Amino acid sequence: MRSILVSILALFLGIFLLLMGNSLLSTLLVLRGVSEGFSGQFLGILTSVYFFGAFVATLMASAMIKRMGHIRCFTFCTALLGCSVLAYVIFISPVAWLFIRFFTGFGIFVVYTVVESWLNGQTQDAYRSRVFSIYTFVNLIAIAASQQLLLIDNATSYTLFIIASFLITAAVMPISWTRLQQPHVVVDMPSMSILKVFDAAPVAVTGCLVSGLIMGPFWGLTPLFVSELGYTNEELAAFISLSILGGALIQYPVGRWSDKMDRRRVILFTFILGTIVALSMAICAKYYPGEHGLITALSAVFCGLVLAVYPISVVHLVDRIHKDHLVAGSSSLLMIYGLGSFVGPAIAGFALKYMGASALPAYYLSVLAIFSLILIMQLVRSRIVERPEDHESRYVAMVRTSPNVLPMHPESEEVLDAPEDRRSEDNKVSKAN
């Protein structure tokens, strides 16, 4: 295991540096946008454009890797990201920022695809679980740690933008230095349309859509939300870091809970609990905006619940489809997530402009309440509430990045090795319902 970790250390270091720079940039743009007089509605649209770029990246990443190879593709997109960071402070205008933000989202998600497909090619089956866990840990720590860099300077200066560009550009060095062999690109991959994914696992589609509708605004508009509540830069950094770290701790028990009962029920309960927490956050933001500690604690709980929805949805899909469709099915779920991430920030930003700080948790509340009802109707219609499902895989916390991360899922091997007749029988049962 040690030799394997040493051999892929360059990949972990590269993605750590890249995520630190990109996560710092995401918060920094909101703070700088507020100081430049940009409205909450525009900042929401800016986040939507970022995820639109990410959506386009999911369609083009494989072709780019095939044309350039992993190292050259990583270098190209990292250079694009590094230039984009500096372009934000050179061209300070709404129109320019929209174009730059599109290329930022495009570049970061192509890089995700490069790194994750590379890890898949280098990791032996016996060590997938540990490598996958470390990869998830690196992602979360990089996002949380990046927020502490906000304490170095304020958003109105160039310093933090230069630091973000420095971190992103430095990510090229470990990747370029490595002697790892690049994996072969798989050209022929079975396809699976979104309609087929919905037919096999409608609750998984609903879960990923809701996850995108909520986490898109969370990543893009949280700095604006806490700024309007009067948080200082130090409190802002602590708010986002604790939300991510606290959320990471909470999603494990929620995910393990999904291994012991029907995952669809767990997603529904997560929606309901999230609705209650969002209601509490909205009340605090409206009537007790000075209770920063309480609001931060509620955000950590809320983030943990919502972060668990996407991986539970993916594992639920893994339970329901054939092994040949794992990556294609994951790609479809990612597109659904991307659609939610594209629409959500625009709606939430519009609400923030006209309703104030409490609008963001109120938006969360509305989304979760509406889709809780939709999910209940799905469960009642299929009579799933009365029949627990069999699990072919177990929950493992995962980040939403690219479809290439699914084969790294340590339990995917159990699905791949499951008897063919068992999978066929499960698919028949699913269609019958």
Side-chain angles (χ1 to χ4, degrees), residues 1 35 75 85 115-116 137-138 141 169 191 206 222 257 276 307 316 321 329 353 361 373 391 399:
M1 180 62 184
S35 68
T75 304
V85 174
V115 172
E116 289 165 11
F137 177 79
V138 167
I141 291 298
T169 305
S191 61
T206 301
T222 292
W257 181 29
I276 296 172
L307 279 175
H316 170 52
I321 63 176
K353 179 180 179 181
L373 295 175
H391 294 332
V399 289

Side-chain angles (χ1 to χ4, degrees), residues 30-42:
V30 177
L31 298 178
R32 183 59 178 265
V34 170
S35 68
E36 296 293 340
F38 297 162
S39 67
Q41 184 178 5
F42 171 76

Side-chain angles (χ1 to χ4, degrees), residues 47-99:
T47 303
S48 295
V49 170
Y50 171 83
F51 283 104
F52 179 67
F55 175 79
V56 174
T58 63
L59 303 177
M60 297 181 60
S62 296
M64 292 179 64
I65 295 174
K66 179 182 176 183
R67 177 182 177 85
M68 302 181 184
H70 286 72
I71 292 180
R72 290 174 60 194
C73 187
F74 184 96
T75 304
F76 174 84
C77 290
T78 303
L80 174 65
L81 290 170
C83 293
S84 297
V85 174
L86 298 179
Y88 286 113
V89 290
I90 297 175
F91 307 102
I92 303 179
S93 74
V95 175
W97 275 29
L98 288 174
F99 280 101

Side-chain angles (χ1 to χ4, degrees), residues 57 62 148 192 218 255 356 390 413:
S62 296
Q148 302 308 309
M192 189 175 187
F218 177 85
D390 294 326
E413 294 301 318

